[in-house]
Amino acid sequence: MASMERNRGMPRGDYEGDKFRLHIVTWNVATADPRDDMSSLLRLDSAEDADLYIIGLQEVYSGPLRFMSDVVLDDPWSSVLMTALAPRQYVKVCSIRMQGLLLLLFSKLEHLPFIRDIQTTYTRTGIFGYWGNKGGVSIRLSLYGHMLCFLNCHLAAHMKHANERVVEFEHILNSQNFKCEKAGKILDHRLVFWFGDLNFRIQDHGLHFVRTCISNENYNLLWKKDQLIMMKEKEKLLQEFEEGPLDFQPTYKFDVNTDTYDSRLYRTWFAFTKKRKPAWTDRILWRLQPKARHADEQNKHGDAPDAHNVKPPEEAEEYPLEIRQDLYTSNMEYSTSDHKPVTGIFTLKLKKMYATPLVHLQAEGEWSADIDAMLLYSPLQPFPTSTWDWIGLYKVGFTSVSDYITYTWVKDDEVFIDEDAIKVYVSKEEIPVRGGECLLGYYCHTLQCIIGISEPFRVHESKVAIEEGLLHEKINILDQIVAAENIHD
């Protein structure tokens, strides 16, 4: 079956390109809180590090009190994932939440200045399109100039709604718009990843046959009746998306805290009882933008112009992009939900459109809370500056773009400009008295991202605080007071 053919590897391009490893997870967590150890889900013991982690969750608990606290503070899932990844030099680039749908993007620190044009949006499809229990959330960005989009969906449930799921997907694609000339819609991006609890089921086969195939690992006997594979045979839009072989057992529906498929009896309208049939509801697909035929070639074949087959930008030829799927599997270790998480690992090979950050940053002289400090930044390329641009001071191992110790407004605190660099003042009152290994990050308000990061440097402990006999516990309290004042300011 064509849709289940194994990926035979990345085409052998005749160009020198850089490779990036993407680790994508989709998981319907069924309102459960995360456990403390996420290392298996993130494959932290792998010989190869991921360059990007993209985590798409569905049915994150969104009760009124919890949801309000999550607006102010990081939700439990974000916190646990950041705690696991930050010590390994990963930073949360951005996230988007729509009720129970959550999408998180983490990057290795070294790539942070090259992830730009970040935008997020969402589409509700639940209860006549007004409720966010179903729908899609997306993050779009440029990675070294290549336009990527990640779409996390939770589509309509139940066996009979396969057509409605396709309609919902098309609605999400058509309704989401981005402020970007090159990629204003999802399908305008060079590469799209579509994943989530897509809710497609295995139809026609009985429960006993399905479970027997799973027990014997004869998954291929079920593929022909998988609704998504069946819909791909007749829906042109779905045919543009690729998926690896489903060589893992269906990920829905399990008894919670077990590896046992649904054993409960459900009462129907007519008082009959039934058990839920296992299915591959949790999926990861991708679409590499197809090369459009020229207009004369379309006319030759009598084809009408296709809105999804627009001519890619000229840089697509000059800066190629290739993709290979290295792994597509479930993780049976996690049992807090009636779904198992699904992981897809991909290798991207691309030719970078740029390889230098927009600005160079460095700390000048010694830094401590005893004296005012200076930093230098040098624009390396033109970029849209703003009075809202700021430079943050971060501890090495920071968790997210907003996890700064303090910041300074670039325009307000400039003290000297010459041909090579711009000098910016930092008040000693803003510098942590305890010190530590730190770095600087330039945040561009217009581009909504960090465009330059300094090398790590040492902020020394305050000699004044030491001479006055302040203990480290008290110094920690002083740091907290400074951080609280920054928030209120």
Side-chain angles (χ1 to χ4, degrees):
M1 188 161 43
S3 59
M4 285 289 103
E5 288 184 359
R6 288 188 175 275
N7 192 307
R8 293 184 173 84
M10 191 175 293
R12 295 182 178 179
D14 56 353
Y15 67 94
E16 291 295 326
D18 292 276
K19 292 184 178 180
F20 297 86
R21 189 172 177 85
L22 273 58
H23 185 121
I24 299 177
V25 174
T26 179
W27 190 7
N28 183 321
V29 299
T31 73
D33 282 336
R35 70 187 203 188
D36 293 336
D37 185 7
M38 290 284 111
S39 56
S40 177
L41 185 69
L42 301 172
R43 294 183 172 261
L44 296 180
D45 59 351
S46 174
E48 294 185 74
D49 290 338
D51 293 283
L52 298 179
Y53 279 98
I54 302 95
I55 314 293
L57 305 177
Q58 306 87 40
E59 291 194 25
V60 174
Y61 181 67
S62 56
L65 293 178
R66 170 69 68 80
F67 190 79
M68 290 302 296
S69 68
D70 290 351
V71 171
V72 179
L73 306 171
D74 288 310
D75 66 272
W77 285 95
S78 297
S79 297
V80 167
L81 292 166
M82 287 191 293
T83 299
L85 291 171
R88 297 171 178 264
Q89 301 293 294
Y90 290 94
V91 177
K92 189 183 83 169
V93 179
C94 69
S95 64
I96 180 170
R97 174 87 179 264
M98 182 186 73
Q99 208 160 310
L101 271 170
L102 177 62
L103 180 57
L104 301 157
L105 173 68
F106 297 86
S107 168
K108 269 188 174 179
L109 179 63
E110 65 193 78
H111 303 309
L112 199 56
F114 306 100
I115 299 176
R116 303 174 190 167
D117 305 313
I118 303 167
Q119 295 181 47
T120 62
T121 191
Y122 62 89
T123 302
R124 299 185 181 99
T125 60
I127 309 181
F128 306 110
Y130 289 102
W131 193 243
N133 64 319
K134 295 291 193 295
V137 293
S138 62
I139 296 174
R140 59 91 52 209
L141 54 88
S142 67
L143 176 67
Y144 291 91
H146 293 266
M147 301 293 183
L148 275 58
C149 187
F150 302 95
L151 173 61
N152 173 28
C153 288
H154 192 184
L155 303 181
H158 305 304
M159 179 74 71
K160 63 183 180 181
H161 291 147
N163 288 319
E164 285 84 344
R165 289 188 270 277
V166 176
V167 171
E168 285 183 352
F169 177 51
E170 291 180 337
H171 171 65
I172 291 168
L173 292 179
N174 292 329
S175 65
Q176 295 199 357
N177 299 295
F178 304 101
K179 296 178 181 178
C180 177
E181 292 183 5
K182 293 181 180 179
K185 308 287 280 187
I186 290 177
L187 295 183
D188 294 335
H189 290 75
R190 295 285 303 279
L191 180 60
V192 176
F193 290 95
W194 171 39
F195 48 90
D197 181 359
L198 307 186
N199 256 323
F200 290 100
R201 310 302 173 98
I202 298 171
Q203 66 182 49
D204 298 335
H205 292 312
L207 176 61
H208 177 72
F209 178 80
V210 172
R211 290 194 172 185
T212 300
C213 289
I214 295 171
S215 298
N216 297 329
E217 297 186 5
N218 293 325
Y219 307 128
N220 61 307
L221 299 180
L222 303 174
W223 292 346
K224 287 185 178 180
K225 295 301 180 179
D226 174 84
Q227 289 180 332
L228 180 53
I229 295 172
M230 295 170 68
M231 297 299 289
K232 286 186 73 172
E233 293 179 357
K234 61 180 182 179
E235 295 287 344
K236 185 176 180 181
L237 173 61
L238 297 182
Q239 292 168 11
E240 296 181 11
F241 285 83
E242 299 184 57
E243 183 180 17
L246 298 169
D247 283 338
F248 52 91
Q249 66 187 84
T251 53
Y252 174 83
K253 174 183 182 14
F254 290 87
D255 290 337
V256 174
N257 296 319
T258 76
D259 291 335
T260 303
Y261 282 108
D262 193 19
S263 62
R264 296 184 301 168
L265 297 177
Y266 296 87
R267 185 173 298 276
T268 68
W269 288 105
F270 302 101
F272 295 106
T273 56
K274 63 177 181 177
K275 298 176 182 179
R276 299 289 174 89
K277 190 163 55 175
W280 286 290
T281 59
D282 311 284
R283 313 286 277 267
I284 302 173
L285 298 90
W286 72 94
R287 174 189 182 270
L288 190 62
Q289 190 178 58
K291 292 183 178 180
R293 291 180 298 185
H294 292 294
D296 55 351
E297 187 177 353
Q298 286 186 343
N299 293 335
K300 179 180 177 181
H301 289 83
D303 297 336
D306 188 344
H308 299 315
N309 197 25
V310 296
K311 185 177 180 181
E314 293 181 2
E315 65 235 21
E317 299 297 329
E318 185 178 354
Y319 298 97
L321 172 65
E322 299 172 0
I323 181 172
R324 180 186 71 220
Q325 186 173 52
D326 301 316
L327 181 71
Y328 191 29
T329 189
S330 62
N331 192 321
M332 295 294 293
E333 177 182 337
Y334 295 89
S335 57
T336 54
S337 166
D338 55 354
H339 293 250
K340 300 295 183 182
V342 170
T343 298
I345 296 179
F346 299 84
T347 295
L348 301 188
K349 181 183 177 184
L350 57 83
K351 184 177 179 181
K352 295 177 180 177
M353 296 186 190
Y354 43 77
T356 57
L358 294 176
V359 300
H360 175 266
L361 282 167
Q362 68 181 70
E364 184 179 55
E366 286 195 357
W367 279 49
S368 81
D370 297 332
I371 56 173
D372 295 333
M374 295 289 177
L375 63 86
L376 300 173
Y377 78 91
S378 305
L380 302 180
Q381 300 175 42
F383 67 91
T385 60
S386 164
T387 55
W388 295 101
D389 289 1
W390 50 268
I391 295 174
L393 176 67
Y394 295 89
K395 283 283 184 72
V396 170
F398 67 100
T399 60
S400 68
V401 173
S402 60
D403 185 28
Y404 47 77
I405 301 168
T406 186
Y407 64 89
T408 182
W409 296 108
V410 175
K411 297 298 182 183
D412 289 352
D413 297 317
E414 285 181 359
V415 295
F416 180 75
I417 302 175
D418 64 21
E419 294 181 357
D420 299 321
I422 300 169
K423 188 175 292 188
V424 179
Y425 163 86
V426 181
S427 170
K428 64 183 180 182
E429 304 296 332
E430 307 292 333
I431 300 174
V433 294
R434 194 176 182 185
E437 289 295 315
C438 297
L439 51 80
L440 300 164
Y442 188 115
Y443 185 86
C444 176
H445 177 76
T446 303
L447 298 178
Q448 295 287 295
C449 61
I450 285 181
I451 59 174
I453 296 175
S454 75
E455 291 294 323
F457 63 96
R458 182 74 184 173
V459 175
H460 299 282
E461 285 188 338
S462 168
K463 293 179 181 179
V464 172
I466 294 172
E467 289 171 358
E468 292 181 357
L470 294 177
L471 300 177
H472 283 299
E473 290 79 6
K474 293 182 179 179
I475 292 174
N476 278 332
I477 293 172
L478 290 176
D479 282 346
Q480 293 171 13
I481 292 172
V482 171
E485 289 176 347
N486 288 338
I487 292 173
H488 292 304
D489 289 345

